Amino acid sequence: LLQHDENAPLASRLGRPLFIILPVYVSLTGIGVLAMLVGGQGVFDALTLTMSSLSTTGFINDSTASPASMNMTSQTVISLLTLTGALSLPLVMSLTRGRYKQLNAEVELRVFILLIIGFALVSWLVLPSGLVASLLQAISLSTTAGFAFLDSAELAGWPMVWIMVPSLIGGM
């Protein structure tokens, strides 16, 4: 993806990866913004939430709002964008080019998805949360974004160690 001649000028070494990566991120951002608009978010919120989700930073515009207060469409879009942002760049590039066979070769991706599903199932069975909310929260924690898909009272009932484990594993 980023191979270049060592003697190439700096503009060439930086420009080539930019022209490869930029269209993918612009497309994902555009799709995310449109989906967030469909989910009822304003233009500014849709743009910033999409960029925050893709970069897995977990920033929100309003300190009084959280994904827990958003509708299911917006919550799902945030989760899918966050999950996409957590994938390796070469894998995202392969998927955007229609090379789905590479998914079978990615053991790391399968383990990542299984950890998210396992964490969500245990959370749903042991803690007072719905299955979908547990899954969205598991994605958020495993991608290290930290979006709160559960209201603060419900999330406060989760043991701190249980919240930290997927973030530590996902960060690795």
Side-chain angles (χ1 to χ4, degrees):
L1 179 66
L2 301 177
Q3 294 176 354
H4 55 80
D5 180 20
E6 290 183 18
N7 298 324
L10 182 62
S12 172
R13 290 185 296 181
L14 296 177
R16 184 173 178 269
L18 178 68
F19 286 115
I20 293 171
I21 296 167
L22 189 62
V24 173
Y25 276 103
V26 168
S27 299
L28 289 171
T29 301
I31 291 167
V33 168
L34 289 174
M36 292 297 283
L37 289 171
V38 168
Q41 301 302 312
V43 175
F44 181 74
D45 288 341
L47 179 63
T48 55
L49 282 168
T50 296
M51 292 189 315
S52 177
S53 298
L54 272 175
S55 64
T56 67
T57 55
F59 293 134
I60 54 174
N61 302 327
D62 184 359
S63 62
T64 61
S66 74
S69 64
M70 296 176 190
N71 64 29
M72 187 53 64
T73 302
S74 295
Q75 289 182 3
T76 303
V77 170
I78 288 171
S79 291
L80 292 174
L81 289 171
T82 304
L83 190 59
T84 303
L87 300 177
S88 70
L89 183 59
L91 179 61
V92 172
M93 298 297 294
S94 293
L95 294 177
T96 59
R97 293 182 175 156
R99 298 180 191 150
Y100 303 111
K101 290 181 181 179
Q102 190 161 352
L103 286 174
N104 293 334
E106 293 289 331
V107 175
E108 183 178 315
L109 177 62
R110 286 186 292 207
V111 170
F112 185 56
I113 299 297
L114 287 173
L115 286 172
I116 290 171
I117 292 170
F119 182 82
L121 287 174
V122 170
S123 298
W124 175 59
L125 292 171
V126 175
L127 301 165
S129 310
L131 179 59
V132 173
S134 294
L135 178 61
L136 297 178
Q137 195 63 54
I139 291 170
S140 177
L141 293 172
S142 297
T143 60
T144 68
F147 285 114
F149 289 99
L150 303 170
D151 63 30
S152 56
E154 194 172 10
L155 197 54
W158 284 34
M160 185 58 70
V161 172
W162 188 245
I163 292 174
M164 291 173 51
V165 167
S167 296
L168 291 173
I169 293 171
M172 288 185 246

